[in-house]
Amino acid sequence: MNDPIVLEGNAAVEEFDVRKYIRLQMMPHFLCPGCGHGIALRALLWAVHELGIDKDRLAVVSGIGCAGRLSAYIDANTFHVTHGRPLAFASGLALVRPDLHVVVITGDGDCLAIGGNHFIHTCRRNLKLTCLMLNNEVYGMTGGQVSPTTSETRITTTTQLGNAEPHFDACALAAAAGAGFVGREVTHHVPKLKDVMRAALEHPGFAFVEVMSDCTEIFGRKNDMGSSPEMILRQKSEIRPSAYRDTVETPFRPNTLPTGVLMCNERPEYGAAYRQYAQTVKSAGDGKQKRG
Amino acid sequence: MSIATVAVEPAASNLRLLSGNHACALGAIAAGCRFFAGYPITPSSEIAERLSRELPRVDGVFIQMEDEIASIAAVIGASMGGAKAMTATSGPGFSLKQENLGYAALAEIPCVIVNVMRGGPSTGMPTRPAQGDIMQARWGSHGDFPVIVLAPGSVREIYEETIRAFALAETYRTPVTVLYDQSIAQLLETVELKQPGAPVERKWASGPPEKYQPYAPLDNGVPAMARPGDGYRSHTTGLTHAENGFPTQTPEVVERNIGRLLGKLERHRAAIESFQTLRCEDADVVVVAVGISARAAGSAVAACRAKGIRAGMFRPITLWPFPEEALRRAASGARAVLVPEMNAGQMRLEVERVLGRDVRIEGLHKISGDPIDPAAITARIEALCI
Ligand SMILES: Cc1ncc(C[n+]2csc(CCOP(=O)(O)OP(=O)(O)O)c2C)c(N)n1
């Protein structure tokens, strides 16, 4: 087994140039005009740049969906796996290769519906992984069906009269399930989004970041939410950065969405805990227990 | 040193009394397996339990995942990272693994899946033996895909075939299923734990990264794999991909790449196939059986020969790809072929496909959760000789 990663940071921070981190031969990308996923991708690569992460040591595992397609654009070791399962694939990879930075890119359907079980258990285990969930409130890739994060009353191709189901708060779910780090940001604040991702990448345990993305083409349009800038501004007006949390206004704006670093703790990281356990087994087992 | 202080140790013996599942776990370790992810299910759980003890001692990783889907996903993820990796399960869990098994076949990620068969369908009979997953092991995932399935028939063979499963998975970059049933899984037999040579390793990418094409085959039809960290930064996807690893739907490119994938194992059939023939040269009746049923068939052949009946047995050890030519040769002089199996006639379909209509083919099917009695096979052979 290789030695775990040590982050050294990008000492001489050169200007960030996204072209150094993407596979230019894959351009133009396939995202719709106005889609927020590309902004999230840029923020991730910016954070990678600032931390000085070597592209050869970066592994990106993504699920299926528009969000899942992003891995193919990153000039790193990239794995586009099956729908809902990227956290499980990434867990195996991270356990045998603690020398890699393993980043998971997933959608709200990928992460919380089909992948919901893997999600809560990955949070609980607290294995060193960085998970970015791009929440566009809809199943984008399959044409705009309702997702576990679609707000009530929203119209989708499978909720033609408006969604009647309540939705998940992914960050609350991650925190309750034991994630070591939980953050959320909107795509309107790119530097802040980059900072949250950077903090997530630096976190020693499982780090979950929810990116509030927008699906203009097949979600915004159906719900008369305007074009992409309007959707993004609406998100901005609905958030409440974590720094404001205790101000007097809170009770009067109960529906705001907290953003920023929402939770960060020092729970033991699972990979390190397992290696420690293995060491104990090895020293205790020698001589005592016979094989066979 | 006085004689009294010299410890008199018996020569370390490689002989062990083991159950099939424990032999499987030890075979995996001997083959270089360093990652196991699984989810408990009868009658396979002893494999996980044993590996949870063995793996940490050899710097490997054991993890119990949240379900079987996660288990095979983690196994494929570990293999992508360069480790030899395995999962083990039984029917219901094998069903859950099928989508990711197809992913491993298409993306060409080596891995080993052990399926200890129990009575099915559905939850079925968790503690009873069956051979109902013979066709699922070949066709369980959607689409056309290559797969190797090994079907050991004894505890010793489980040890050896598990080692071979890793070698084949690495050599041909394909998932390999080790398929046996509850009765051999929990049978105790003496096994000689022969240490294999150095573990077989897949071909890793070498040479200049600019020239590397992740799915361009080497001379043997199998592409070299990029290990993360080695500087190749390639893309792996379950979408149909071109030689460069990126998705494509261009018909010629799809045809070329899927064609190579499907031909990959056919090309190496001779090296992959394995079977046993027992007194088939002059046999009037050839019994075709696999796994535990072949042990009953072997006894039946002996009983028949003692009575002067010319019976023989053909046993596929590599179940898929099915050893077609070898079966044709073994059955070339037979008047009748009998296929005893603990299902409703799955392998018989394959035997019929291979031998055609020139020979009489009958099945002896048992779906009660009991193994097949040698006497029942003997009686059917006798009936076929009249
Ligand atoms: C097992 C399986 N079920 C269903 C699908 C079809 N499918 C592809 S993408 C997708 C939903 C993606 O939605 P989300 O995760 O929210 O990502 P987005 O496309 O919105 O970024 C579904 C259901 C699939 N590929 N595999």
Side-chain angles (χ1 to χ4, degrees):
Chain A
M1 211 185 287
N2 307 36
D3 290 332
I5 27 174
V6 185
L7 265 177
E8 279 162 7
N10 206 349
V13 182
E14 336 158 14
E15 187 98 26
F16 169 58
D17 180 354
V18 74
R19 286 169 299 187
K20 288 191 180 149
Y21 293 91
I22 58 173
R23 291 176 171 139
L24 287 171
Q25 75 271 28
M26 296 298 285
M27 295 298 125
H29 59 72
F30 93 133
L31 300 169
C32 303
C35 170
H37 286 9
I39 302 174
L41 175 60
R42 183 187 168 87
L44 167 67
L45 299 178
W46 190 2
V48 164
H49 171 78
E50 282 198 356
L51 290 170
I53 294 173
D54 176 1
K55 292 188 289 185
D56 284 332
R57 297 265 152 210
L58 176 64
V60 182
V61 183
S62 64
I64 300 292
C66 302
R69 284 295 189 103
L70 296 186
S71 62
Y73 301 132
I74 305 174
D75 184 16
N77 306 280
T78 56
F79 304 96
H80 179 223
V81 298
T82 49
H83 190 31
R85 322 297 173 197
L87 285 168
F89 277 81
S91 296
L93 177 59
L95 278 166
V96 300
R97 293 295 302 272
D99 59 317
L100 299 175
H101 291 266
V102 184
V103 175
V104 169
I105 303 180
T106 174
D108 42 286
D110 197 61
C111 185
L112 301 175
I114 190 167
N117 196 29
H118 310 309
F119 178 58
I120 56 174
H121 287 277
T122 312
C123 291
R124 172 180 66 81
R125 235 173 250 128
N126 203 33
L127 176 64
K128 165 124 186 79
L129 288 173
T130 309
C131 174
L132 309 183
M133 187 192 87
L134 312 191
N135 180 2
N136 57 5
E137 275 195 60
V138 77
Y139 283 26
M141 181 69 111
T142 41
Q145 297 82 9
V146 70
S147 110
T149 57
T150 308
S151 309
E152 279 175 71
T153 75
R154 291 289 183 219
I155 292 167
T156 71
T157 58
T158 48
T159 56
Q160 311 242 343
L161 296 178
N163 180 25
E165 284 188 29
H167 65 271
F168 267 138
D169 176 337
C171 289
L173 183 60
F181 177 104
V182 178
R184 176 191 281 136
E185 198 45 83
V186 291
T187 57
H188 184 268
H189 295 148
V190 183
K192 281 193 185 163
L193 184 56
K194 176 261 296 172
D195 287 341
V196 172
M197 289 189 187
R198 183 180 160 148
L201 285 163
E202 285 179 301
H203 185 75
F206 179 69
F208 175 72
V209 176
E210 178 180 22
V211 183
M212 304 309 294
S213 187
D214 65 293
C215 177
T216 315
E217 279 300 314
I218 56 172
F219 183 71
R221 191 194 291 280
K222 273 212 171 58
N223 288 287
D224 284 333
M225 295 166 89
S227 60
S228 179
E230 288 167 276
M231 286 182 77
I232 289 174
L233 284 170
R234 179 203 300 267
Q235 284 178 342
K236 178 181 181 296
S237 71
E238 285 175 356
I239 61 160
R240 183 156 192 82
S242 49
Y244 299 3
R245 204 176 285 148
D246 293 330
T247 58
V248 68
E249 262 191 276
T250 309
F252 304 105
R253 298 180 60 195
N255 295 323
T256 53
L257 201 60
T259 56
V261 176
L262 305 180
M263 211 263 297
C264 183
N265 64 37
E266 299 291 305
R267 283 182 61 217
E269 191 270 324
Y270 182 67
Y274 184 82
R275 289 187 286 276
Q276 182 65 48
Y277 164 82
Q279 217 40 55
T280 316
V281 172
K282 253 173 126 172
S283 36
D286 284 349
K288 252 197 204 162
Q289 247 177 309
K290 273 237 169 207
R291 301 246 182 107
Chain B
M1 200 192 288
S2 75
I3 289 188
T5 62
V6 178
V8 186
E9 286 234 345
S13 160
N14 280 334
L15 292 180
R16 295 282 185 287
L17 182 66
L18 288 175
S19 76
N21 282 342
H22 282 263
C24 176
L26 296 183
I29 296 287
C33 173
R34 292 298 176 266
F35 184 85
F36 179 95
Y39 188 80
I41 186 166
T42 305
S44 77
S45 301
E46 297 85 7
I47 301 172
E49 288 166 352
R50 183 73 190 241
L51 284 171
S52 75
R53 299 203 297 274
E54 300 292 338
L55 277 167
R57 294 185 190 155
V58 291
D59 294 321
V61 177
F62 167 89
I63 186 166
Q64 181 171 315
M65 295 297 285
E66 53 274 15
D67 61 28
E68 286 87 348
I69 302 174
S71 303
I72 186 166
V75 160
I76 299 169
S79 181
M80 287 164 161
K84 293 186 181 60
M86 177 171 104
T87 182
T89 189
S90 182
F94 194 52
S95 293
L96 288 177
K97 289 182 193 294
Q98 293 301 324
E99 185 196 7
N100 282 338
L101 198 152
Y103 179 90
L106 176 71
E108 301 183 67
I109 313 295
C111 57
V112 174
I113 301 109
V114 182
N115 177 19
V116 183
M117 291 181 285
R118 66 190 217 180
S122 192
T123 308
M125 292 176 280
T127 61
R128 307 297 300 178
Q131 297 182 311
D133 306 346
I134 285 179
M135 281 298 174
Q136 185 188 21
R138 174 61 194 91
W139 303 109
S141 199
H142 54 282
D144 289 310
F145 59 97
V147 75
I148 297 176
V149 179
L150 307 179
S154 65
V155 176
R156 173 182 61 77
E157 223 170 66
I158 288 174
Y159 177 76
E160 290 166 0
E161 291 299 304
T162 303
I163 295 171
R164 194 163 76 97
F166 278 94
L168 293 173
E170 293 286 319
T171 307
Y172 302 112
R173 283 188 60 182
T174 196
V176 177
T177 299
V178 179
L179 189 70
Y180 57 90
D181 74 289
Q182 180 273 333
S183 60
I184 328 179
Q186 289 168 351
L187 185 70
L188 285 172
E189 289 184 300
T190 303
V191 187
E192 187 188 351
L193 297 181
K194 287 194 198 126
Q195 280 309 305
V200 177
E201 190 78 11
R202 68 197 80 164
K203 278 268 181 318
W204 291 108
S206 57
E210 327 68 83
K211 295 234 172 84
Y212 174 64
Q213 292 272 301
Y215 290 92
L218 303 173
D219 290 344
N220 66 352
V222 183
M225 193 161 159
R227 189 184 356 228
D230 285 359
Y232 293 94
R233 300 198 300 273
S234 63
H235 186 59
T236 304
T237 177
L239 285 165
T240 306
H241 41 264
E243 284 82 351
N244 63 13
F246 294 110
T248 182
Q249 298 198 43
T250 308
E252 318 75 86
V253 183
V254 170
E255 202 143 310
R256 186 170 70 233
N257 280 277
I258 298 293
R260 175 191 59 79
L261 183 73
L262 297 178
K264 185 171 74 169
L265 302 183
E266 280 305 314
R267 222 175 125 163
H268 297 284
R269 233 177 205 284
I272 298 168
E273 274 185 4
S274 164
F275 54 87
Q276 181 202 355
T277 50
L278 180 69
R279 310 198 68 172
C280 287
E281 320 77 57
D282 63 342
D284 290 324
V285 178
V286 168
V287 184
V288 184
V290 70
I292 190 72
S293 300
R295 295 178 74 156
S299 307
V301 166
C304 287
R305 288 279 172 175
K307 294 181 189 178
I309 299 169
R310 289 190 300 206
M313 179 184 75
F314 179 81
R315 174 171 77 98
I317 300 171
T318 301
L319 183 59
W320 302 108
F322 197 79
E324 303 180 6
E325 258 321 298
L327 173 62
R328 274 190 210 106
R329 259 181 280 122
S332 59
R335 284 198 285 149
V337 169
L338 179 68
V339 190
E341 50 186 332
M342 289 146 68
N343 59 48
Q346 298 188 18
M347 192 169 65
R348 194 187 71 192
L349 287 173
E350 186 65 8
V351 171
E352 285 170 354
R353 186 186 70 76
V354 169
L355 297 180
R357 292 170 184 277
D358 301 341
V359 61
R360 179 172 172 193
I361 299 168
E362 287 193 5
L364 195 175
H365 309 141
K366 192 123 187 175
I367 49 165
S368 60
D370 279 328
I372 300 177
D373 187 356
I377 302 176
T378 309
R380 284 292 290 277
I381 296 172
E382 284 178 310
L384 281 166
C385 284
I386 299 166

